[in-house]
């Protein structure tokens, strides 16, 4: 587990012990923005991996295996296999395929699958990351499409 120490005037560093009183600035990423907690950033899919047990998860606060909050962000290759698919009918607009996808890195996520006709989006079909009609929407395309 991670522990946090809060410095106060009583337990802060002294001027003579060679420690700077200001906390060092940690630039965790070169992208210039915050690291996404799982999701799309500049067209790349990111997921989390527990630093304790190495379990891969998507958009979680706690590791489902060990309960740790110490997660690191990793880049996904964007390739997966459909585990479950449902065609969702909408009152306005065309129906769409929503699927649970097993990613090669070992995590699952729920996303939209673009397939014409929708019957091609079936269990076991290999998919790759695509782009949805909305910004930051996670959508996949069939690999053979």
């Amino acid at each position: 587990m991670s522990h946090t120490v809060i410095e106060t005037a009583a337990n802060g560093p002294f001027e003579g012990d060679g420690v700077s009183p200001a906390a060092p600035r940690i630039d965790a990423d070169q992208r210039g923005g915050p690291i996404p907690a799982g999701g799309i950033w500049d067209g790349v899919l990111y997921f989390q991996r527990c630093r304790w047990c190495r379990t891969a998860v998507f958009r979680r606060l706690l590791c489902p295996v060990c309960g740790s909050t110490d997660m690191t962000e990793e880049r996904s290759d964007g390739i997966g296999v459909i585990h479950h698919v449902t065609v969702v009918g909408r009152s306005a607009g065309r129906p769409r395929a929503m699927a649970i996808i097993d990613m090669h890195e070992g995590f699952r996520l729920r996303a939209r699958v673009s397939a014409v006709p929708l019957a091609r989006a079936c269990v076991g079909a290999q998919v790759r990351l695509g782009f949805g009609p909305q910004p930051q929407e996670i959508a996949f395309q069939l690999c053979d499409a």
Side-chain angles (χ1 to χ4, degrees), residues 7 27 29-30 40 52 56-57 59 75 78 86 94 106 124 139-140:
E7 289 187 3
D27 189 14
D29 199 35
Q30 297 88 331
I40 300 278
W52 289 91
V57 295
R59 292 187 178 164
R75 183 179 179 153
T86 302
R94 300 185 333 199
F140 285 82

Side-chain angles (χ1 to χ4, degrees), residues 18 30 33 38 46 77 79 81 90-91 108 115 130:
Q30 297 88 331
Y46 288 88
D77 65 359
I79 304 292
V81 176
R90 299 168 48 176
S91 60
R108 283 185 178 169

Side-chain angles (χ1 to χ4, degrees), residues 3-53:
H3 297 283
T4 304
V5 176
I6 300 173
E7 289 187 3
T8 63
N11 70 353
F14 296 105
E15 288 184 29
D17 64 1
V19 178
S20 170
R25 183 172 176 203
I26 299 171
D27 189 14
D29 199 35
Q30 297 88 331
R31 290 185 298 249
I35 298 173
I40 300 278
W41 183 269
D42 290 336
V44 177
L45 181 67
Y46 288 88
F47 66 99
Q48 299 158 293
R49 188 173 301 276
C50 177
R51 289 186 178 161
W52 289 91
C53 67

